[in-house]
Amino acid sequence: MERIFEAFVNFLGNIFNFCYNCFNDYGVAIILFTLLAKVILFPINILIQKNSIKMVKMKPKIEELKMKYENDKDSFMEAQIDLFEKEKYHPSLGVIPLILQIPIILGLVQVIGNPTNFINDITNTMFLGMDLSAIPIYPSDICMPILAAITTILLCLFQNRLNVLQREESLVSKLLTGLLTVILTVYFVFYVPNGVGLYWVLGNVLGIIQLYILNFIFPPKKYVDYNYLEKVKKARIEKETKEKIAKKQSKYYYKKFFEEENVERMKLLFYSEGSGFFKYYKGMIEYILNNSDITIHYVTSDINDKIFEYDNPNLIPYFIDTNRLIPLFMKLECDIVVMTTPELQNLYLKRSIIKKDIEYIFTDHGLGSVNLLYRLNALDYYDTIFAKNKKQEQEIRELEKQRQTKQKNIVQTGYTLIEDMIRDYEKKEMQRTNTVLIAPSWQEDNILDSCLDKLLEGLLKTQYKIIIRPHPQYIRRTPENIDALEEKYKEYLNDKIIIERDFSSNETVYSSDLIITDWSGIGYEFAFSTTKPVLFINTKMKILNPEYEKIPVIPMDIEVREKLGKCIEKSDVINSDKYVTELISNQSHYMEQNRELREEYIFNLGNAAMIEGQYIINQIKGDKK
């Protein structure tokens, strides 16, 4: 390595000797050498400029990936790497100039500090009153460090304004980086010959000029949508502000949760992942409040949960963020915990280490298969399951038998959400509206991503109005896809096609004559609440348990799919007009059939809230008959 560096120093010495022989002036030789170095490195800086533009252009997409994989860093990193490869962005390219500058600087220290070793006839190393081969050790020699500091400050200011990447940094980051750079520069220039300091000063000046040249050749505004970028930055700042507020609120509620009077009288706890989960608890909670004096403690991970608007002294809500949720669960001392969250004990939510005999109740937020849609051991650590339909009970018992796990307490409750939907629908007395609702899932290969264009090509031949209702998670994770969809079909918007972004109401679900979906649970909810037919498209099935076929129970998701309407392949969606017309014309047949199916599959239709609520009351009051 020493020999390689020695050869490199000799190489620099030869170049420097050439520069000196051109003008026979040591200072001018350094100026010429600096200019040559910038010219030689300029192609690399062009590559870096193009690479930096790619990075800034990708920033909105990266922010969207962060939102999409907010709680899954591994998936985010994989998606980001895929994005880099797609855009041909090289993260390490920006450090190349720094890597190249280090050996050049070290070599110049040797060359400039020992000029006679490389220039035979040199007699004078003075330039503008300074000895360029000397190190500035006296107070009178601070001219070069001062010049280095001034030009470094100027370069930082221009970089913050002109450099495509640095202009996107925060003000604090710019100030800290600039301050550190100036301090290191001054410190460095005090310990090297003045000639190296001159090289540094000239490099700063040429660096400013280079910024203008690069921005002229590849203007960032030509490639980057700065208006959209600014919009994303504002959204990020708003999100960070909300997170700070949420953190403060979570601290307050965490302290309140463990107040002595709360701990002593806490018997029943509900946990909700977000505001949308209250609808799965609503029936049983209202039954408990109306038929007992039990105080319900309701923990939510959503600071905007509608539960905070619920006015009842026996319902106490708490907002607890993910970081505090983990210790909170481990320190629980209540009697019963009710959750819709699978993977208890397997992932971040654990059973209490303080009280070992808490009864953990799992109530599914859908009618789907617990064998197909959950991992194999997702429900192992629950004590009681509120089963919505006969298939769920059969699957749990078969899984216990297959895996020889402890038998759980299964309560045949039914599904309050379907009951609420049935009541709401019957109140409306809906007439035929000539409307078709497309309501896909947000999983991989969903309708919007895989076959929407062909599907619409067929549907636009019919007289039906088309409502597209994307899954809320799909809009949250890929809002740009919805924007692109609206742009693509803008000539049909509001007349033939409506794209729905507001999910606060089920009005369009109730009013549509038919729903088109993939493997989304809304298909079953629509069919069982309105009894109207469903057109299912066989996209890629969501399977979280690859061993689901090992038990002799066909998942309800598969078994009733064909009975509730019709299933077609993606390759056949071009003929959607034919299938939609056929299903709607036979609507009365399907409505009668779907009523029979919901009676056959769903437990205790009309009584789910009472069964759930009464079970909990009995468990807490001690009447466990």
Side-chain angles (χ1 to χ4, degrees), residues 3 20 49 53 74 153 161 165 172 193 234 237 257 275 304 398 422 426 428 483 541 548 568 582 584 601 615-617:
R3 289 184 177 180
Y20 179 80
Q49 174 80 350
I53 288 172
D74 291 338
I153 291 170
R161 193 163 66 89
L165 276 181
V172 173
K234 284 181 180 178
I237 292 169
F257 186 90
S275 183
N304 298 312
E398 287 294 334
I422 292 171
E426 288 176 348
K428 295 181 181 299
D483 294 338
M541 187 164 57
Y548 79 94
I568 64 171
E582 177 190 329
I584 292 178
Y601 281 89
Y615 174 86
I616 291 171
I617 292 171

Side-chain angles (χ1 to χ4, degrees), residues 435-451:
T435 302
V436 172
L437 176 66
I438 301 174
S441 65
W442 60 278
Q443 68 194 48
E444 181 188 356
D445 197 43
N446 65 77
I447 290 172
L448 296 188
D449 289 340
S450 64
C451 59

Side-chain angles (χ1 to χ4, degrees), residues 149-398:
I150 292 171
T151 55
T152 300
I153 291 170
L154 287 172
L155 179 61
C156 288
L157 291 173
F158 277 94
Q159 282 178 329
N160 290 340
R161 193 163 66 89
L162 299 174
N163 183 279
V164 67
L165 276 181
Q166 284 185 226
R167 64 182 291 178
E168 301 305 320
E169 297 292 329
S170 66
L171 180 60
V172 173
S173 177
K174 289 175 182 177
L175 289 173
L176 289 175
T177 303
L179 181 63
L180 183 62
T181 304
V182 172
I183 291 171
L184 290 175
T185 296
V186 173
Y187 180 82
F188 169 74
V189 174
F190 262 116
Y191 285 89
V192 295
N194 283 320
V196 179
L198 179 61
Y199 170 82
W200 195 271
V201 169
L202 291 170
N204 287 341
V205 174
L206 292 173
I208 294 170
I209 297 169
Q210 181 178 267
L211 282 170
Y212 281 97
I213 295 172
L214 288 171
N215 281 356
F216 176 77
I217 298 172
F218 294 103
K221 288 182 180 180
K222 182 179 177 181
Y223 304 96
V224 179
D225 185 349
Y226 278 100
N227 290 330
Y228 183 54
L229 186 59
E230 190 64 28
K231 181 181 174 182
V232 171
K233 284 166 66 177
K234 284 181 180 178
R236 176 174 51 80
I237 292 169
E238 287 176 9
K239 184 173 181 288
E240 289 172 354
T241 303
K242 288 178 181 178
E243 286 173 350
K244 287 179 182 177
I245 295 171
K247 189 175 181 181
K248 188 176 180 180
Q249 286 288 91
S250 178
K251 185 177 180 181
Y252 161 77
Y253 280 112
Y254 186 83
K255 185 178 178 181
K256 178 183 175 183
F257 186 90
F258 286 106
E259 287 176 355
E260 189 174 347
E261 63 176 85
N262 277 340
V263 173
E264 286 180 356
R265 65 192 183 104
M266 190 179 296
K267 300 293 183 183
L268 175 60
L269 172 74
F270 281 79
Y271 169 63
S272 170
E273 296 173 54
S275 183
F277 285 79
F278 178 69
K279 62 187 178 184
Y280 305 116
Y281 298 133
K282 182 175 178 287
M284 71 176 99
I285 284 178
E286 289 181 347
Y287 183 90
I288 294 167
L289 292 174
N290 293 331
N291 294 276
S292 76
D293 59 355
I294 295 171
T295 298
I296 298 173
H297 297 262
Y298 193 101
V299 171
T300 176
S301 294
D302 185 351
I303 195 172
N304 298 312
D305 200 309
K306 296 292 183 183
I307 196 69
F308 292 103
E309 300 173 7
Y310 206 93
D311 185 21
N312 190 303
N314 283 343
L315 179 60
I316 306 174
Y318 308 84
F319 163 67
I320 307 293
D321 62 19
T322 305
N323 291 334
R324 289 183 174 85
L325 193 64
I326 297 170
L328 181 141
F329 258 72
M330 295 179 75
K331 295 190 288 183
L332 289 177
E333 295 184 58
C334 54
D335 291 342
I336 291 178
V337 177
V338 184
M339 301 163 59
T340 64
T341 312
E343 303 290 356
L344 176 66
Q345 197 69 19
N346 297 328
L347 298 179
Y348 61 94
L349 294 183
K350 310 294 183 184
R351 291 181 67 106
S352 174
I353 60 174
I354 304 297
K355 188 175 181 183
K356 303 293 186 180
D357 62 345
I358 295 175
E359 181 180 359
Y360 288 85
I361 299 175
F362 176 78
T363 181
D364 206 332
H365 53 69
L367 288 167
S369 166
V370 295
N371 177 36
L372 180 72
L373 301 179
Y374 295 131
R375 292 181 178 86
L376 190 60
N377 61 343
L379 305 181
D380 280 4
Y381 290 92
Y382 280 96
D383 304 292
T384 300
I385 307 294
F386 282 176
K388 310 303 178 188
N389 57 69
K390 66 178 185 179
K391 286 290 184 176
Q392 288 184 351
E393 181 178 32
Q394 291 169 8
E395 287 173 334
I396 291 166
R397 289 296 181 231
E398 287 294 334

Side-chain angles (χ1 to χ4, degrees), residues 540-562:
K540 184 177 180 180
M541 187 164 57
K542 182 180 180 181
I543 302 173
L544 288 182
N545 175 21
E547 300 179 12
Y548 79 94
E549 291 180 308
K550 285 188 176 181
I551 65 170
V553 179
I554 300 172
M556 193 194 79
D557 313 57
I558 298 172
E559 187 171 271
V560 302
R561 194 172 168 85
E562 191 75 49

